[in-house]
Amino acid sequence: MDAQKVDMYLMTNAKFFQAQHLNYIREKLLATDDSKWIMIQSVELKDPTTILIVSILAGGFGIDRFLVGDTGLGVAKLLTCGGLGVWTIVDWFLIMDIARQKNMEKLQVFLS
Amino acid sequence: MEYTQGIIKDTIKETPEFIHPNEYEQASRSYLMAVVAVIAGLPFPIINLFASIGYYLAHRKSSYFIRWHCIQATIGQALLIPFNSVAVAWTLGVIFGGRGFFGITEIPKRYFADNATIFDDYSGATLYYWLYITFIILLNCTEFIVVIYTSSRVKKGENIRWFGIASLTDRLCSKEDRNPYKL
């Protein structure tokens, strides 16, 4: 893929991924075929900041876990009232990285 | 036949593992878990341990540096559990002990006996009890300060090793590279 295109993609979407993975994404995108560009652009990425706000406001009900796609853990968190408050607090610190991780997994499908 | 005099020294040098600055912050948060979890479960001594274990489980696939600090924080919390549990059990014994089922079936002496004071109902609170509670408060305050100090130093990139716990952590933490996104 064209280097200019890849850099533009990274400039726009860097906040959706973990900083230590950006180099990996760049190298993989450069090696990816141009035909996948449309698909890569159309991948819906979750905003970690939005997820954090949801986690702070409705973390006790496991809504944040449902949003990032962890349905099983979301149900568990809902039934235990956010792990009696402890899980909710732990997730305030974890959820942004989890959202970035999930974004990476979504993108990984299209990387060569 | 070739002959080599002296000892052949191994010239291969171990290259230090690169740690991304972002990982410093993730590692430092493992210590903060124990501090922040106090908000949710202050009376229960095991809550901090659960928080640390939860944070470690979420970082199972992270780098060695993050996992190592998660395990050190968890072991640090686990070591406090016996001391704090004894304190909680002793306190419950003082409050409810010797006064019927959980202390609610018998009316406290101070309500009906002449010259009875509050100390007659809580006679289990001996000098040893108060000494132990003082020791526990000091121990927890020390741990609190050490954890916050360690967290701030690790965030700056220093590898703080706790005496005794660090060597145990070395043995427990796997050196396997679990990063699925490597070039």
Side-chain angles (χ1 to χ4, degrees), chain B residues 87-131:
Chain B
V88 170
W90 200 344
T91 306
L92 290 176
V94 167
I95 294 172
F96 298 123
R99 292 201 292 113
F101 181 71
F102 280 107
I104 53 176
T105 54
E106 277 183 27
I107 301 165
K109 285 176 194 166
R110 64 179 183 277
Y111 291 138
F112 61 86
D114 291 335
N115 301 324
T117 62
I118 194 167
F119 299 106
D120 294 320
D121 290 316
Y122 301 110
S123 55
T126 56
L127 177 66
Y128 290 117
Y129 170 76
W130 290 116
L131 282 174

Side-chain angles (χ1 to χ4, degrees), chain B residues 77-90:
Chain B
Q77 292 304 315
L79 284 179
L80 279 179
I81 294 294
F83 297 102
N84 287 341
S85 298
V86 168
V88 170
W90 200 344

Side-chain angles (χ1 to χ4, degrees), chain A residues 18 20 86 89 93-94 97, chain B residues 22 26 29 33 36 47:
Chain A
Q18 288 184 308
Q20 62 263 40
V86 179
I89 293 172
F93 293 87
L94 282 176
D97 278 332
Chain B
N22 197 36
Q26 287 180 333
R29 279 189 207 151
M33 278 305 107
V36 177
I47 297 296

